[in-house]
Amino acid sequence: METASQSLQYEKAASLLKTIRQIEHVVHADQIVTKIDGKDTDVINLYRQGEEVMLIQLLFREGNLVGSEHFSFSNVLEDDAELITSFLLQHYQTQEALPKEILIPYAINEVKEIAEILVERCKKKISIESPQKGDKRALIELAKENAHVIFLQEKDQQEMREKQLL
């Protein structure tokens, strides 16, 4: 990073700095992540900037973080609760294996109905919760931070592509 900065490659230096911060974030995330009672759990949160939204889904299987998926949306007019409701209904209708528990950032009105729809589909009980404190809340906050980082990465990549076209 310092070498790039000294040779006046400021964009490269900024990119390297972001990479360093992301690595630090992952190391910090490992300290936050704890076993979730050995359950299969999905943690969902989003980051919004105007009508642009990045939604992230952290995947825990048997209590361990095994991956994540992110979904980028543009021109979103729905509020965050409506977007999460739509995501739950659309995304989980097409999934092969559903988690036992889904953590979302805040309570939604239709949570019981959505859980019933998913239970009917997979024939097993599914809990949809919006914890307000503790380790589960920390995981929701971690998902939000990840959504923010991915949002910024995609914006940076888009800006770099646009500059290359000029």
Side-chain angles (χ1 to χ4, degrees):
M1 178 183 75
E2 289 177 16
T3 303
S5 179
Q6 289 172 355
S7 61
L8 305 178
Q9 297 176 337
Y10 297 115
E11 288 180 10
K12 184 175 181 180
S15 176
L16 291 170
L17 178 61
K18 284 184 182 179
T19 302
I20 291 168
R21 291 219 170 109
Q22 290 167 354
I23 291 168
E24 290 171 346
H25 176 72
V26 169
V27 170
H28 177 68
D30 286 342
Q31 295 169 357
I32 293 174
V33 173
T34 58
K35 293 223 176 220
I36 307 178
D37 303 329
K39 293 181 187 175
D40 289 353
T41 302
D42 287 0
V43 181
I44 297 171
N45 209 336
L46 55 86
Y47 175 80
R48 175 188 293 263
Q49 192 172 71
E51 294 178 349
E52 306 292 316
V53 176
M54 178 63 64
L55 186 142
I56 193 156
Q57 174 187 27
L58 300 178
L59 308 167
F60 291 85
R61 297 300 176 258
E62 297 178 5
N64 297 305
L65 180 62
V66 297
S68 68
E69 294 184 44
H70 65 275
F71 307 88
S72 180
F73 304 99
S74 297
N75 303 317
V76 176
L77 300 177
E78 299 173 296
D79 67 24
D80 293 351
E82 291 171 333
L83 183 61
I84 288 176
T85 300
S86 295
F87 177 80
L88 291 172
L89 288 170
Q90 294 175 29
H91 181 72
Y92 287 104
Q93 284 291 337
T94 61
Q95 297 300 303
E96 291 290 320
L98 297 178
K100 183 173 183 165
E101 176 180 61
I102 301 171
L103 303 179
I104 57 177
Y106 29 77
I108 54 177
N109 294 333
E110 303 84 5
V111 72
K112 289 181 184 177
E113 292 83 358
I114 294 169
E116 288 174 11
I117 290 169
L118 297 178
V119 165
E120 182 66 29
R121 184 194 165 288
C122 70
K123 307 295 186 221
K124 71 176 185 179
K125 184 179 178 189
I126 296 175
S127 169
I128 302 174
E129 301 175 21
S130 55
Q132 300 304 307
K133 57 184 176 180
D135 289 340
K136 290 182 179 182
R137 185 67 200 181
L139 292 173
I140 287 175
E141 293 305 318
L142 175 64
K144 183 172 187 129
E145 290 174 28
N146 286 339
H148 186 204
V149 168
I150 293 170
F151 179 88
L152 293 175
Q153 282 178 337
E154 285 194 1
K155 284 293 177 196
D156 287 345
Q157 289 172 356
Q158 181 181 356
E159 287 176 13
M160 289 182 83
R161 281 191 298 269
E162 289 172 1
K163 284 181 183 178
Q164 290 174 348
L165 293 174
L166 296 177

